[in-house]
């Protein structure tokens, strides 16, 4: 199974028909309808033993269209957490007036800023994944230069502002103990 994690089509096996190589290193694509099957195969003891130490597998938050199907990315990520909830003192969401992109502006603690500077400097030209609720939030961007400031801007592309607000809440307060579901009021009812 380790060979399948590196290149799922190299060795025939249970994952070979379910995973395709993605566009980035460490990215695999699965038809969205096969995600549960891939999860069940990866939950097996032999699969867990085949994943190199220091790596974790995380699904993307969103699906993408490829041909006529919908696919979800599965990323092999370094398990080192650079910035955690306690490192964010303030987060603001806005839309860039020039590009129309959703932006997340974060203010980091001095310790978080130092750690981000050191780690991003060590990983220039590598990909930096933003993970919230164990899901990768969009395609990981490449680190072009060390990020050595306590004010960090994350460009979220054409994501709706609601997605950026959700990420802001997760970064500032952490995941909720139960899923939060927005329910539309029934016809004739007032919203609380």
């Amino acid at each position: 199974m380790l060979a399948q994690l590196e290149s799922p089509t190299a060795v025939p096996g249970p994952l070979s028909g379910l995973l395709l190589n993605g566009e980035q290193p460490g990215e695999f694509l699965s038809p969205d309808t096969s995600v549960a099957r891939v999860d069940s195969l990866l939950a097996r003891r032999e699969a867990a033993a085949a994943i190199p130490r220091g790596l974790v597998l995380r699904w993307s938050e969103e699906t993408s269209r490829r041909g006529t199907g919908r696919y979800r990315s599965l990323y092999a990520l370094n398990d080192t957490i650079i910035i955690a909830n306690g490192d964010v003192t303030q987060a603001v969401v806005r839309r860039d007036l020039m590009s129309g992109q959703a932006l997340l502006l974060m203010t980091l603690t001095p310790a978080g800023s130092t750690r981000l500077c050191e780690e991003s400097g060590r990983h220039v030209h590598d990909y930096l994944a933003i993970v919230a609720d164990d899901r990768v939030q969009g395609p990981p961007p490449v680190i072009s230069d060390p990020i050595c400031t306590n004010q960090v801007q994350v460009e979220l592309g054409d994501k709706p502002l609601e997605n950026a607000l959700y990420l802001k809440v997760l970064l500032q307060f952490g995941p909720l103990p139960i899923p939060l579901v927005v329910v539309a009021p029934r016809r004739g009812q007032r919203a609380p």
Side-chain angles (χ1 to χ4, degrees):
M1 280 217 187
L2 176 57
Q4 287 181 325
L5 288 175
E6 293 170 357
S7 177
T9 56
V11 177
L15 291 175
S16 61
L18 300 172
L19 292 176
L20 306 169
N21 286 319
E23 296 176 12
Q24 298 179 344
E27 177 188 19
F28 305 101
L29 299 173
S30 173
D32 200 40
T33 56
S34 300
V35 168
R37 176 77 177 132
V38 171
D39 276 342
S40 71
L41 291 169
L42 290 173
R44 292 182 176 177
R45 186 177 333 129
E46 59 271 17
I51 297 171
R53 180 170 287 184
L55 288 183
V56 294
L57 300 176
R58 296 289 181 257
W59 289 104
S60 63
E61 177 65 26
E62 300 171 345
T63 60
S64 60
R65 183 163 296 284
R66 193 175 209 198
T68 59
R70 305 270 329 150
Y71 287 81
R72 190 170 299 273
S73 294
L74 177 65
Y75 293 97
L77 304 174
N78 185 316
D79 67 354
T80 303
I81 296 172
I82 298 173
I83 298 295
N85 301 51
D87 297 315
V88 178
T89 61
Q90 182 181 18
V92 176
V93 171
R94 68 176 176 87
R95 187 156 308 275
D96 184 275
L97 297 176
M98 298 296 286
S99 68
Q101 290 188 353
L103 300 174
L104 176 64
L105 308 165
M106 297 183 296
T107 304
L108 304 177
T109 63
S113 180
T114 299
R115 195 167 42 261
L116 179 60
C117 182
E118 290 170 357
E119 289 297 322
S120 63
R122 215 178 328 235
H123 293 282
V124 171
H125 304 297
D126 288 341
Y127 291 89
L128 178 66
I130 299 171
V131 179
D133 265 355
D134 287 332
R135 296 282 184 156
V136 177
Q137 305 294 311
V142 174
I143 300 170
S144 56
D145 294 302
I147 305 166
C148 297
T149 177
N150 72 331
Q151 300 286 319
V152 178
Q153 176 176 299
V154 179
E155 296 173 359
L156 299 171
D158 58 357
K159 285 188 176 190
L161 278 180
E162 292 79 21
N163 292 34
L165 288 168
Y166 174 72
L167 184 56
K168 170 194 171 192
V169 169
L170 286 174
L171 287 169
Q172 282 193 298
F173 306 110
L176 296 172
I178 57 172
L180 179 63
V181 179
V182 177
V183 179
R186 292 184 188 172
R187 191 178 188 120
Q189 280 186 325
R190 290 187 333 189

